[in-house]
Amino acid sequence: MVSTIYALLFYVATIILVVGVGMRMWRYAKTPAPLKIPTTPAPTTAWGVFWRMVREVVLFQSLFKSNKWIWLFGYLFHVGMLVVLLRHFRYFTYDIWWWVGLVQPFAIYAALAMFAGLAGLWGRRFLVERIRYISSPSDHLMLALLVGIVISGISMKTLNPTDIVLVKGFFLGLMRFQINELPTDPPLLIHLTLVATLMIIFPISKLLHGPGILFSPTRNQIDNPREKRHIAPWAKKLEE
Ligand code: HEM
């Protein structure tokens, strides 16, 4: 019974995540950028823009320039999450890829980095007056959801281990359209419920800033307005 409910939950959540993010990306890609608005100093070549985007994604460069504290907490959280997610690949492939094996020992440090980052980012929403003023319930809920995922994950890793062989069997089964037994210990069920919730709200939440950064005109435009006239596709149609 529990296995069936969670199987359906994860099928629905996966469809909403994939279709939802796909539709959002399509809309971002189609939205015209009528003006040249790269934040200067900006690269003047396509390669330059490529490297600028790499630095944004890998180092959070512009956040570093604007606020060192948010950068530190945000970076801790995201790097921790990257390691944790790479480690989770072991539940979705039968043979564990060698690089997934390599990151296994760092799980607890990565989880603590995520927690420290989230605590800093959440603390700032209470402690910094002007940030508290603009914080909406959804900002808090999103942080609460992530903290819940991290705490339930750490609890399984330390105090309440779950049967990870069964967890793996369950998710490998889902990928082959069969429903296998899922352990029913509360930390695992809480972890999975929160993860499915995250997947469902992701396409309508501020967490879209992840893929969205790639579509930001202030970052992805080439600074060449004198060499090349910039005309948005819809304006081109008007000219014809
Ligand atoms: C369907 C997806 C997921 C499954 C099946 C899953 C399952 C698990 C399991 C079984 C553990 C315990 C690991 C152990 O005992 O060694 C764990 C730990 C953890 N999970 Fe997840 N999880 C999922 C998604 C996520 C997501 C999306 C996040 C973060 C955003 C996350 C964050 C964590 C953290 C921080 C830990 C503790 C550190 C670690 O063991 O890696 N999990 N998860």
Side-chain angles (χ1 to χ4, degrees):
M1 182 66 183
V2 172
S3 306
T4 313
I5 294 173
Y6 275 84
L8 292 177
L9 178 64
F10 270 93
Y11 281 133
V12 171
T14 306
I15 293 171
I16 294 179
L17 179 72
V18 173
V19 176
V21 172
M23 282 168 66
R24 283 288 176 143
M25 294 306 104
W26 181 250
R27 199 202 294 177
Y28 289 167
K30 288 277 147 206
T31 304
L35 302 172
K36 267 283 181 192
I37 49 166
T39 308
T40 52
T44 52
T45 62
W47 261 113
V49 166
F50 173 78
W51 283 115
R52 178 185 215 179
M53 294 311 290
V54 170
R55 290 196 306 275
E56 279 300 338
V57 173
V58 178
L59 304 172
F60 301 2
Q61 186 185 43
S62 54
L63 179 60
F64 183 78
K65 285 183 194 157
S66 68
N67 188 315
K68 302 287 185 278
W69 280 110
I70 307 181
W71 179 87
L72 178 68
F73 291 127
Y75 207 71
L76 266 178
F77 165 70
H78 284 91
V79 171
M81 184 170 70
L82 176 68
V83 173
V84 163
L85 292 182
L86 290 180
R87 180 177 135 80
H88 277 61
F89 266 92
R90 65 182 177 154
Y91 305 122
F92 301 94
T93 62
Y94 187 80
D95 293 319
I96 296 172
W97 297 331
W98 65 269
W99 49 268
V100 177
L102 276 187
V103 291
Q104 297 304 319
F106 304 106
I108 195 67
Y109 310 108
L112 292 176
M114 280 179 86
F115 185 80
L118 287 169
L121 293 172
W122 208 355
R124 142 184 178 269
R125 293 203 175 268
F126 291 103
L127 301 175
V128 184
E129 169 77 50
R130 56 199 290 273
I131 305 294
R132 186 168 64 224
Y133 183 71
I134 58 162
S135 293
S136 64
S138 96
D139 294 320
H140 290 289
L141 280 174
M142 224 63 77
L143 285 158
L145 187 62
L146 289 165
V147 168
I149 294 177
V150 173
I151 291 180
S152 53
I154 292 179
S155 132
M156 281 188 284
K157 178 84 199 133
T158 53
L159 303 173
N160 308 291
T162 186
D163 187 336
I164 54 169
V165 177
L166 277 187
V167 174
K168 177 168 180 152
F170 176 79
F171 281 95
L172 283 180
L174 286 191
M175 291 162 73
R176 290 157 181 75
F177 298 106
Q178 72 196 33
I179 301 177
N180 297 332
E181 187 193 342
L182 180 71
T184 53
D185 44 307
L188 176 70
L189 296 186
I190 293 173
H191 193 64
L192 294 184
T193 308
L194 296 178
V195 169
T197 310
L198 180 70
M199 291 164 75
I200 291 168
I201 61 171
F202 192 90
I204 49 164
S205 76
K206 60 189 253 178
L207 303 178
L208 273 174
H209 66 264
I213 176 89
L214 302 176
F215 299 91
S216 169
T218 56
R219 300 285 177 276
N220 71 15
Q221 287 187 344
I222 307 172
D223 186 10
N224 61 355
R226 287 170 194 274
E227 295 80 5
K228 196 164 177 282
R229 189 164 170 226
H230 175 80
I231 313 174
W234 56 266
K236 244 184 225 153
K237 277 191 204 124
L238 290 181
E239 274 194 348
E240 281 162 9

